[in-house]
Amino acid sequence: MKIICIGRNYVDHAKELKNPVPKKPLVFMKPPSALLVNNKPLYYPEFTKDLHYEAEIVLKISKNGRHVQPEFASKYYSKIGFGIDFTARDVQSKLKEKGHPWEIAKGFDGSAGLSEFIPIKDLNDPNAVEFRLTQNGENVQIGNTKDLIFSFDYLITYVSQFFKLQQGDLIYTGTPAGVGPVAIGDKLEGFISTKKGEIKMLKCNIK
Ligand code: ZN
């Protein structure tokens, strides 16, 4: 199982970190050991002083495929989840300056917060998924996947040119504007809007 992540996939977020808006998806990975599931807490890592949340919709790959053609892309995922791409922003900034890989800033243990999954058919519109993250009860990120630069289907087609998609793989599809730091004691909660109303998908306490 692999965890594929997309950076800078919302214009507003690319701008808030003063990054250019990409012309192709920016792809990186986290190891399976990064997963943080079952609403477990995240222990603030010692190597960072600027740990950030990034709320993201996560696709769960439902069948194997390489070089997936655009017209079939939607057949490769049938469920989505709520994810938090935890990022050691200070470590990432230093690595970016040097042009070095990001892995230690993005792939550390617990850096891939993940909820349970809900079926795509439960969504009002799979191309306009509304989601939000709260920090201690206050909205900090409000996103809608209609604002994605590269859609779910585009990402499936793009990523599968390089990496064979395998059942159970995850794609973190990028974060909207509003990323920010967390502190020990914070309570993060993630929500997704569905046909049945808004569902609380995930909670994560920072310890
Ligand atoms: Zn991210």
Side-chain angles (χ1 to χ4, degrees):
M1 188 278 269
K2 53 193 175 294
I3 305 171
I4 297 162
C5 303
I6 309 300
R8 303 175 197 163
N9 202 11
Y10 291 84
V11 171
D12 290 353
H13 170 63
K15 286 186 176 160
E16 77 179 338
L17 294 184
K18 300 188 171 56
N19 287 313
V21 175
K23 297 204 166 53
K24 287 181 186 169
L26 192 164
V27 180
F28 61 96
M29 296 221 203
K30 295 179 187 251
S33 49
L35 276 182
L36 181 72
V37 295
N38 299 327
N39 294 321
K40 284 193 187 134
L42 178 67
Y43 290 89
Y44 202 111
E46 285 176 9
F47 57 79
T48 176
K49 294 194 162 42
D50 195 23
L51 180 67
H52 278 210
Y53 55 77
E54 294 189 0
E56 314 204 354
I57 295 295
V58 180
L59 307 181
K60 187 171 195 177
I61 299 300
S62 54
K63 62 176 185 175
N64 296 1
R66 298 178 66 223
H67 298 283
V68 176
Q69 295 305 302
E71 61 269 37
F72 302 118
S74 65
K75 309 260 184 255
Y76 285 78
Y77 58 95
S78 57
K79 291 179 177 178
I80 65 163
F82 190 103
I84 303 181
D85 167 17
F86 284 108
T87 302
R89 194 70 73 200
D90 47 353
V91 176
Q92 185 196 27
S93 298
K94 285 191 189 131
L95 294 168
K96 273 165 72 178
E97 271 170 29
K98 293 181 196 153
H100 287 177
W102 283 348
E103 272 73 7
I104 61 169
K106 286 274 198 184
F108 55 87
D109 296 347
S111 62
L114 183 66
S115 71
E116 298 284 318
F117 289 87
I118 53 173
I120 295 271
K121 64 178 170 49
D122 288 0
L123 300 166
N124 295 308
D125 178 352
N127 295 307
V129 184
E130 291 176 74
F131 62 106
R132 67 185 176 101
L133 179 76
T134 65
Q135 182 177 29
N136 304 321
E138 303 277 344
N139 282 333
V140 285
Q141 288 190 280
I142 299 177
N144 188 317
T145 61
K146 72 175 166 45
D147 299 322
L148 285 170
I149 300 169
F150 304 107
S151 69
F152 294 165
D153 288 2
Y154 189 96
L155 294 175
I156 296 283
T157 298
Y158 184 80
V159 166
S160 69
Q161 296 176 80
F162 307 101
F163 306 109
K164 178 184 180 180
L165 296 175
Q166 294 173 292
Q167 195 174 17
D169 287 350
L170 303 171
I171 303 181
Y172 281 62
T173 58
T175 196
V179 300
V182 296
I184 291 171
D186 277 359
K187 289 180 167 42
L188 302 173
E189 292 184 307
F191 302 83
I192 295 179
S193 295
T194 73
K195 283 177 186 163
K196 298 170 202 156
E198 192 183 60
I199 297 180
K200 189 200 281 190
M201 297 291 294
L202 166 149
K203 69 173 185 192
C204 180
N205 294 344
I206 309 295
K207 293 202 172 178

